[in-house]
Amino acid sequence: MDNNNSGVAIRRTSSSIISPTNSTTSNIPVEDDEYGEDFDLSISSHKRKQSGIPLEVAEGMTGGRASTEPSLEQIADDEEEGFISERRQSLPRIQSSSRLSSFPRPASPIPEFDEIFDGESRRFRYASSIKFLSTRNILILAFITVLAIVITIHTPSQPDPGVDVSRPVEADAPTEDGESHFEDVGPGLEFYTEVDHVRYYKSPDKMKEMKSEGPTPADRELGGMHVFKNVCLTNNIDAMSYENNPTTSLRGLIYFTRDQEHNSQRCVPCSNSENMDRWDGTYEDETVVKHKCGMNGLHTMYATSAGDWSNCILEDENTQLMKKFGQTQTPTSVTSVHFFQAPTFLLQFNAFDMESALFDMLMTYLPFWKKYEMNEFPFTSLISHSVKGCISHSHHPFCELLHQMAAFWEVQDLSWESNENTLYCFKTLYYNQVGYNRNLEHEGHVTKEVFGGLRENLFNRFGLPRRRTVEAREKDAAIEGQDLLGTKIILYDKTSRDETHWTDMEAVITEAKSLDKYKDVTFVVVKDFDDLSVAHQARTFNEADAVVMVHGQHMANAIYAVDGTSFVGVGCSGTVPLIGNPRFMELMDSSYKHVSKCNEDNEDDSEACTVCQDDDHFTMTLPAFEKMID
């Protein structure tokens, strides 16, 4: 079939097409090669069933309607018996075997033709047969047959309800499990195969033109989640190699509109140099790319179609500008498109930093989770380019947290291919804005009740030994006849990692243990949290009364700690980590203390501080350590 034919719209399905049966009854006799003795019986009982038109009349019909008229006159004048006799004489006979001839011929149970019809009726049947087989009527019959075939082809087949496809297939996979479609869309034909609510296009040119919509709020009462219609996503491959803060949380959003078709930089996203907290905000790079930038985590690009975007980014000027901005996108050249029809949630976070993931993603999503679990999730599928298979099979610490809290219940985790030439598009996309509530500045967005419910959920799912609240722990201790005396302090120096670390931590702890005031204190040193499973990390924090750590992502495990835990961040920088946010400590019913580089006038060790050899290595004196612990 010629797919480029734009004049006729044809739908082709993978199911069988039942062709109509051509049951045309021929009234023109064809002389057989052989006839037996029994021919007399058949010709007498079925004289008009196989024929009824003399051969000379049939030959006259080839001349069209004009030759048919005289034949009708001839039929009207012929005598029936004379015609039969003449017909019998003109046909050859074959001698039957003697064995067959020896048996008497049985009487025919079928009435003779003469007994049923009189002469007038016979002449009418002959004439009707010839009129029916006129050239005009044959053409009409042929037209009706062709029309029936066309209608049959255009009738869509229903997809097999038994097909179970759990993941997208490759672009060149067989299509017997789904449907192939041709649709008239103007200048070309749309062609795709649809399987499990996903349309697979082998070329962007086979897609009809889309028009994007949004963003609109997913909930009028809650901020931070947006809904887009008819958009595509790309991946920023430069972001994973950023020198200061590599991340997997940046995406490009292709927004389809004709408003930017004359802008040669329409496909170039803005750089990641500014905090873009609002879609309609004004940012510096807009003067360069001549279009709106988008928002944090979702940088906007514009195009009229998937093919237009693919062609646009391949222009040398645009390619160089994207490299300059640190915004090189994949796919680099679109050869196939996956268009998801079901409402889909974009799970986006920085997989390199658990603490950032907790505050950038979860602190925005929590109130939606609480609302949706009580009612119904508005999306039925989820896709994450931050971590593949995040909620289905990944053991990434943040993905494990989402899985244990049942963050998405039965929402399907869509897999994605490593093919850098496949573009992913969505009919309805839910975007949980990265960093929207990073600093917990939206008062009332995450309440103590919601956050406490999350932690209770995690404590139960991980089977953590200590109850969350002080009251619950005191009650358990009273039942078991124990007291809550003694303190357990977890310390982490990060010496096993190529990052900022505390070089003499164990030596200082050894000195501190010799002091009587710390005889009831248990010091536990963790060499590397990355060597521990997620459940083991959660249990370590849960058992601690205090946590002293060099700044890093593992502080996100604070979510597993009990109420009243003291947290201390140690390093050379004065920058307070995200868990040190007073609003977060209020949600945790806990406290945070920050220890950084000593001032030059701290010669008497009057403050808890660090002595920094450089930005990545520091030590601490025993007096400073005591002040920190006390």
Side-chain angles (χ1 to χ4, degrees), residues 544-573:
D545 297 297
V547 178
V548 180
M549 292 182 63
V550 176
H551 304 157
Q553 65 164 330
H554 294 293
M555 279 193 167
N557 286 307
I559 199 170
Y560 304 114
V562 299
D563 290 357
T565 302
S566 297
F567 297 93
V568 180
V570 187
C572 293
S573 171

Side-chain angles (χ1 to χ4, degrees), residues 207-314:
M207 292 185 71
K208 65 181 180 181
E209 185 174 311
M210 294 193 297
K211 184 177 181 180
S212 299
E213 299 177 17
T216 56
D219 190 292
R220 295 291 177 182
E221 298 177 359
L222 300 172
M225 190 180 295
H226 312 277
V227 182
F228 292 89
K229 299 282 189 179
N230 298 321
V231 293
C232 300
L233 292 176
T234 61
N235 292 316
N236 184 332
I237 58 175
D238 290 338
M240 291 185 288
S241 59
Y242 283 169
E243 182 177 353
N244 296 325
N245 185 29
T247 180
T248 62
S249 65
L250 297 185
R251 300 287 171 269
L253 178 81
I254 304 178
Y255 199 93
F256 297 103
T257 177
R258 287 199 169 274
D259 294 344
Q260 294 285 332
E261 62 180 324
H262 300 299
N263 177 7
S264 59
Q265 277 80 47
R266 61 189 178 278
C267 59
V268 180
C270 299
S271 68
N272 195 42
S273 60
E274 294 183 83
N275 177 33
M276 301 185 298
D277 58 345
R278 294 186 302 114
W279 174 267
D280 56 354
T282 301
Y283 306 106
E284 184 178 349
D285 289 339
E286 292 178 11
T287 59
V288 180
V289 297
K290 303 180 184 65
H291 62 71
K292 304 298 289 184
C293 290
M295 63 180 73
N296 288 333
L298 207 60
H299 296 163
T300 313
M301 301 167 286
Y302 293 89
T304 58
S305 65
D308 174 59
W309 179 82
S310 181
N311 294 333
C312 180
I313 64 170
L314 292 177

